[in-house]
Amino acid sequence: WNALVHGRKRWFVFPPLKGYYSTKPVLEWMEDGYNHVKPFEFIQEAGDIVYIPRHWTHAVLNIQESVGIAVEFSSPYSM
């Protein structure tokens, strides 16, 4: 999960088997048309908490100076 304390972030979230890894900066990746895969998009505001389920992938663009807390966790029950 990611809790945003200050700022704004633009999220791009892909369901399982639709995401991919890229070494490009997010702005360059966006200009290339997301590699022809349409993600779910939303803006995270200060005070919002975002949870990304197991096997989903994401890209994040800070659209304002941002401060947040992120935690990744694994559970034996989530496999």
Side-chain angles (χ1 to χ4, degrees), residues 5-21:
V5 177
H6 173 78
R8 297 176 78 213
K9 293 176 179 262
R10 182 175 176 186
W11 286 76
F12 306 87
V13 182
F14 299 89
L17 305 177
K18 299 287 185 182
Y20 56 94
Y21 181 79

Side-chain angles (χ1 to χ4, degrees), residues 21-78:
Y21 181 79
S22 176
T23 58
K24 294 179 182 179
V26 176
L27 282 176
E28 185 178 331
W29 169 78
M30 288 171 56
E31 290 170 356
D32 288 347
Y34 309 159
N35 201 25
H36 308 293
V37 177
K38 183 68 177 156
F40 297 101
E41 295 184 41
F42 61 91
I43 303 296
Q44 182 184 20
E45 305 282 349
D48 292 345
I49 297 174
V50 173
Y51 171 76
I52 303 297
R54 185 178 181 92
H55 302 298
W56 286 61
T57 56
H58 66 280
V60 180
L61 178 65
N62 291 333
I63 53 179
Q64 290 182 338
E65 288 186 4
S66 299
V67 176
I69 300 167
V71 175
E72 290 187 35
F73 62 92
S74 179
S75 164
Y77 303 106
S78 64

